Amino acid sequence: MHLTFDWHGALRRARHAVKEPAAAGGAVPRLAWKRFPYGDRVYRYGGTALHTNWCRLHRADREPYPTVDNLLELLRANPGLEPHAVSPTALAPMLQEAWRSFHAGDFADAVERGLAVGPVGCVVAARAATVYAGHLEEDPTRRLAILREAVESAAALIQLAPNWANAWYAHGAALGRYSQHLSVVKALSLGLGGKVRDSLHRALQLEPGHAHAHVGLGVYNAEVIDKVGAMVGGLTYGVRKEAVVDHFEAARALHPQSPVVLAEYAQSVLMVLEGAQSGRAHALCAEATACQPVDALERLHQEWALGELEAGPEYP
């Protein structure tokens, strides 16, 4: 079935979101979202600084800087976006502001600005919501509601933009986090695991240098093995312990100084290889803390790694 995305409806719901009971699965007002805890101006790339630092900021996902020419190229590759982006000249600076907020850790503002752009702003909006829910939202019901909204918007986007690598990545990342917090076993029973895998694979097909897609696939293999075991995971879902290492090593080769890659690698090592590799996880955490984070996402991962080191070398 061909899906169309009612962006005006999504924006209207976002503006009037109210807290609802858990059973209703309502959205969470973004005004109530927690602030980034490590300074709201530390990673604010004002003026030309965003463009100057863009290659480093997006080394892991290879997203082009949002210029008018790059937006026009995106529209040519994905004609389904054209009716929703009639003025790239007006949208480019709006999209730049959304990414500024994302990198600064102002995730609520990044979502609002991304939604205001329309479907071409869905990647930054979905990613901001996914990062916020996975790292800062403490209430389980709210977390799932935020992730569900990110999944739904990203699922609509890939119908409009099937040739946009980061549309597929945003969907895989949001659905992966949703599955983790819903329960990996339940998510697998609902068939969500295969959708996570397929979206991340599609992102890599479109952009082989997508380090974050490799990270997502490494985490996917690790999570499934951790929850159902290597044998059942391999026979039923095609996951392998070797694939965890392969994907993370590929990500490291693409972005060796990324706290995101290193911290997620350490977490996955602990899940899959257990106590025998606790020293390896400790070393990866040490590498992550030695990196220089360039935005809020990297800082959040670095802080996690620092917490693991402070907890001591003995892992559960």
Side-chain angles (χ1 to χ4, degrees), residues 192-206:
L192 302 184
K195 294 180 180 179
V196 173
R197 179 197 59 221
D198 292 348
S199 287
L200 295 172
H201 274 306
R202 181 60 178 152
L204 278 175
Q205 288 174 347
L206 292 167

Side-chain angles (χ1 to χ4, degrees), residues 243-260:
V244 176
V245 176
D246 290 346
H247 280 297
F248 275 109
E249 288 299 327
R252 290 190 75 184
L254 290 166
H255 197 348
Q257 297 298 315
S258 168
V260 177

Side-chain angles (χ1 to χ4, degrees), residues 37-246:
Y38 305 108
D40 61 353
R41 308 297 297 183
V42 177
Y43 305 110
R44 181 72 64 177
Y45 292 92
T48 60
L50 182 68
H51 184 255
T52 301
N53 291 279
W54 187 265
C55 289
R56 171 61 182 87
L57 288 165
H58 288 268
R59 182 172 179 178
D61 66 10
R62 304 293 180 91
E63 179 68 9
Y65 184 72
T67 62
V68 173
D69 286 344
N70 284 338
L71 284 180
L72 288 171
E73 184 176 345
L74 177 67
L75 298 178
R76 284 193 292 269
N78 299 277
L81 290 173
E82 290 182 354
H84 306 276
V86 294
S87 178
T89 302
L91 296 183
M94 296 169 65
L95 196 53
Q96 293 165 18
E97 288 301 317
W99 279 113
R100 278 193 179 91
S101 294
F102 173 86
H103 292 301
D106 192 349
F107 298 118
D109 190 64
V111 173
E112 294 290 348
R113 290 181 182 276
L115 290 175
V117 173
V120 295
C122 183
V123 164
V124 62
R127 288 195 58 191
T130 301
V131 173
Y132 172 80
H135 292 271
L136 295 176
E137 180 55 61
E138 297 177 351
D139 182 85
T141 301
R142 292 181 177 182
R143 185 187 301 123
L144 279 176
I146 293 167
L147 289 169
R148 187 183 304 113
E149 184 178 297
V151 169
E152 289 173 354
S153 62
L157 179 63
I158 59 178
Q159 300 297 318
L160 296 176
N163 298 311
W164 188 1
N166 276 308
W168 289 98
Y169 173 71
H171 180 254
L175 190 57
R177 290 299 185 198
Y178 179 76
S179 299
Q180 286 177 324
H181 292 289
L182 177 68
S183 159
V184 172
V185 173
K186 183 175 181 180
L188 290 172
S189 72
L190 295 172
L192 302 184
K195 294 180 180 179
V196 173
R197 179 197 59 221
D198 292 348
S199 287
L200 295 172
H201 274 306
R202 181 60 178 152
L204 278 175
Q205 288 174 347
L206 292 167
E207 176 48 78
H210 205 300
H212 278 170
H214 276 296
V215 168
L217 286 166
V219 171
Y220 167 75
N221 279 267
E223 288 277 7
V224 174
I225 292 170
D226 180 56
K227 300 305 185 293
V228 304
M231 182 176 293
V232 174
L235 292 173
T236 308
Y237 303 105
V239 298
R240 300 177 298 113
K241 289 185 178 181
E242 294 81 5
V244 176
V245 176
D246 290 346

